[in-house]
Structures are given as C-alpha cells and as structure tokens.
Amino acid sequence: MWPVSRRWDPALRHAHRMTARATILPPVGAPFTARLLSWSVTADRTAQTRRTLQATLAPGTRQALDGVTVQGGYLQLDVGFDYLDGSQELVPQGLFRLDSEDAERPDGGLAAQGYGREKVVADDKFLAPRTEPANSSALDLIETLLTESVPTATVHRRTTRDAAVPRTTWERERWEAIDGTDASLARSIGVEVWADGRGQFVITAVPTLADPPVWTVDEGPGGVLIKASRSSSTEGVNNIIVAVGDGANGSTPVGPLIVRDTDPTSPTRVDGPFGRRPRFYSSPLLTTLAQADTAARSLLANSLGLASGLSFSAVPNPALEPGDVVLVKTGGPAELHIIDKITLSSTGAMTCETRSTKADDGGTT
C-alpha cells in the first residue's frame, strides 16, 4: 500500500471527493498537466505488464513530439482525495508509456492508452543470445537487465533473497529472463519484479497471507464494501511442488526438492480429499537445495491461494497495490485476502479480485 497520511482512511469512509491529475511527459519539451475527461487503470500482479491505462483528455490537448505522442511520450497519473477544505492528497497510479492515441472530431477529446514500464523492458529484446558468467548475483542481474532498457529507472530491493547464478544464456526475451517464466531470475529466488506508480522498479518477495493486512474492507456505517461474490476453482492449483536444478548449463543437477501443502486446516492438503496435484518446476538457475526450497515454497504459496477467491467492489482506495493483504468482513468471520487485481476508474466503484486459501510454509522432503 502506498504510504498515506492519517487523514486518508477516515476521509475515505466519510467525506471526500475523488480527484485525478494527468501529467504529460513528452519526448521534446517540458512536462505539462492535461485536463482529464475520464480514466481507468487496471493493476494486475498476474500480468507481465502490471498497469494499463485508458484515458480521455480534453479537446485541444497538445499533441506531437512536444505533447501527447506515441513516439516516446508518457503520462503520469495521480489519483486521490480532495479533503473538501482546500487540500488534496494524491497517490501515483502509474507512469504509462503511451502506445495509442485517437483524437475524435469534433471536440470528442483525445483517447490514449498506456502501459507500465515492464512493457518497455519486454519490448527491448536481446539482439543476440545473452550469456552471463557464473557466480553473478541474481538481484544484481535483475537490476542490470532493467536499467539497460530504462537507464533512468530506480530499482528498489525490498527483499534480501539472493543467490549466485550459474553461467546462463537467454535467447531473445529480456523480460522472461527477469520474471514470469520457470527459467527467470526472479522465480529462481522466489521474488517478483514490477513497476510501481512512479515507474520505479520494485523487487519483492512473493506475497503471502502471513503478511500484515493494510486495510479493512467492511460493511455497515463507515464501511467501504459495496458488493462481494465468492468463487472457487481448481485451475492452476497445485499442492505439491517438485523443484529441480536441471544442470542444463553445465552445473551439477540439484534435487528433486519436494514441497507439500501439509497444513492440517488447508482444504488442499496433500493427505485430504483434494488429492495430490503436483507441479514440476525445472530451472538451470537452481544450483543448491536451499535455493530450490525457496523457489518451491514461493510457487506453492502463489498456487494454493488460487483455490478460493473473493471479488468485491468498494469505495475507491487509490493507495492499494496488488499483493496487499486486506482484512474482509462480510458478516461472518473476518478473512484475510491477497489482492491480485485492482480496477480503478473515474466513473464508479473500485473492483478487486483476491485469493484467500491459506498456505503454510509447506513440508519438505
């Protein structure tokens, strides 16, 4: 959750007015503020590019290289509250590279679509196979691959998880080397890489329900919940992870290292009615049993929570971030949920998709 003042939550639950600001950062000339007619942002931690933007800017907004352009132009969106006393508090929602613009005539406004900085990195593919020498730090390599594509970017390491990387070659896809595939650096050490609301890159551990809740979603007077619906699905759910360092790059094979859901209260426990549903994870970057164990536990925690989900709409809270844990009170016992996806717009309630099945640290053999 983005840091906010003590005024934030009381105002959210009682008296405030939503407000938003669009700052255009053109490739030529100085940044300027553009008037927004409408906007919508989706932030999804399960997507390669976490943040996407749809915005309509006022007619007459400057275009071309010194204005709104798809030739290297960006839009910074900040959203927050007008406290009705002349003061405001805004939270960054994303630094978006503009990939499309469409001016409607006459006086229909300027429609723009943008994507977070992960897409900048993903588009910057390797021109030739990329080989890194043995014993490089995984975190150092992630930062190098990011800043090669975005030299001005800041990278925040919010984790101490790291490991030495064996000699490794990636063929074409830069983002796949960083995160999102079994052969990625991030997955090998159990972390996630994403761009925050200011376009700065962040490296964090995979969120779990052991993380403290940052917000309460509740009903009744002063509550924020509008509507909630539950769903259950076994798609993508695995209660056993088998991790192997395959030695494809010449290193000594590692494993198999097996992590199971052994929580006696878990509906997906391996000795329960859910049965056994293994996932096999193989990566040339796993060089020790300890590293395989960390990666397998992160995959297990990320998988089990998909079994039970809660989708809800609520009073918009622009400070929330995918991966945040929230405490949900809907009349029964309070429940912890990890937010996977948030949609925020100028026209209605905030919608969130979550998962809630509790996973322990697993049992290892």
Side-chain angles (χ1 to χ4, degrees):
M1 184 168 176
W2 194 268
V4 291
S5 73
R6 293 182 179 180
R7 302 181 66 186
W8 184 270
D9 196 59
L12 184 154
R13 295 174 181 275
H14 297 288
H16 71 278
R17 183 185 299 115
M18 288 281 290
T19 186
R21 179 180 65 212
T23 304
I24 307 301
L25 293 87
V28 176
F32 63 94
T33 301
R35 185 163 66 91
L36 279 164
L37 299 182
S38 65
W39 56 269
S40 174
V41 171
T42 297
D44 184 354
R45 63 174 290 267
T46 67
Q48 176 178 278
T49 301
R50 178 172 287 217
R51 302 170 195 274
T52 59
L53 167 74
Q54 301 282 344
T56 302
L57 305 174
T61 300
R62 187 163 70 240
Q63 294 180 260
L65 292 179
D66 63 345
V68 176
T69 177
V70 297
Q71 300 180 62
Y74 283 79
L75 187 154
Q76 171 69 52
L77 180 69
D78 299 289
V79 177
F81 301 152
D82 182 333
Y83 286 124
L84 309 181
D85 62 0
S87 63
Q88 294 183 344
E89 185 172 2
L90 299 178
V91 171
Q93 297 303 302
L95 178 65
F96 299 98
R97 186 185 71 183
L98 298 176
D99 277 17
S100 71
E101 53 171 314
D102 183 11
E104 298 180 10
R105 306 291 184 187
D107 299 331
L110 176 61
Q113 180 170 322
Y115 298 91
R117 268 181 157 175
E118 299 95 338
K119 196 167 193 312
V120 178
V121 178
D123 286 348
D124 184 18
K125 303 180 189 300
F126 299 128
L127 301 182
R130 173 71 170 265
T131 299
E132 293 292 340
N135 298 319
S136 299
S137 153
L139 288 178
D140 286 349
L141 271 180
I142 290 172
E143 185 164 344
T144 295
L145 293 175
L146 291 171
T147 55
E148 283 177 353
S149 295
V150 189
T152 59
T154 301
V155 180
H156 298 282
R157 300 183 183 185
R158 298 179 186 168
T159 180
T160 57
R161 292 183 177 181
D162 200 2
V165 178
R167 180 181 173 86
T168 304
T169 297
W170 292 280
E171 294 296 325
R172 287 285 181 269
E173 302 298 331
R174 180 182 296 268
W175 190 259
E176 290 183 5
I178 295 170
D179 197 1
T181 67
D182 283 355
S184 70
L185 292 158
R187 189 159 293 176
S188 73
I189 57 174
V191 301
E192 295 181 337
V193 184
W194 44 279
D196 70 8
R198 288 285 185 223
Q200 300 175 349
F201 290 105
V202 182
I203 307 172
T204 59
V206 173
T208 73
L209 289 172
D211 298 333
V214 300
W215 195 47
T216 298
V217 182
D218 50 0
E219 300 175 300
V224 297
L225 182 66
I226 298 173
K227 183 174 65 175
S229 61
R230 296 184 181 276
S231 64
S232 296
S233 172
T234 62
E235 183 179 357
V237 179
N238 302 101
N239 57 5
I240 302 173
I241 306 295
V242 182
V244 176
D246 59 23
N249 51 20
S251 60
T252 302
V254 171
L257 189 288
I258 304 174
V259 176
R260 299 177 171 87
D261 176 14
T262 58
D263 181 356
T265 67
S266 172
T268 56
R269 63 188 182 277
V270 293
D271 59 350
F274 185 76
R276 299 183 181 181
R277 305 194 186 192
R279 177 187 169 184
F280 296 87
Y281 165 57
S282 177
S283 171
L285 302 180
L286 301 180
T287 59
T288 67
L289 287 175
Q291 188 181 357
D293 182 70
T294 297
R297 290 175 188 272
S298 296
L299 287 173
L300 182 68
N302 220 22
S303 170
L304 294 181
L306 297 173
S308 177
L310 179 75
S311 298
F312 65 84
S313 58
V315 176
N317 184 352
L320 285 180
E321 178 71 41
D324 283 343
V325 175
V326 293
L327 184 66
V328 180
K329 299 178 180 180
T330 58
E335 300 174 342
L336 294 174
H337 291 259
I338 298 174
I339 296 177
D340 276 341
K341 184 178 180 180
I342 303 170
T343 299
L344 196 66
S345 76
S346 58
T347 57
M350 172 184 69
T351 62
C352 295
E353 296 179 12
T354 77
R355 53 192 169 85
S356 59
T357 299
K358 187 179 185 303
D360 68 357
D361 285 335
T364 305
T365 61

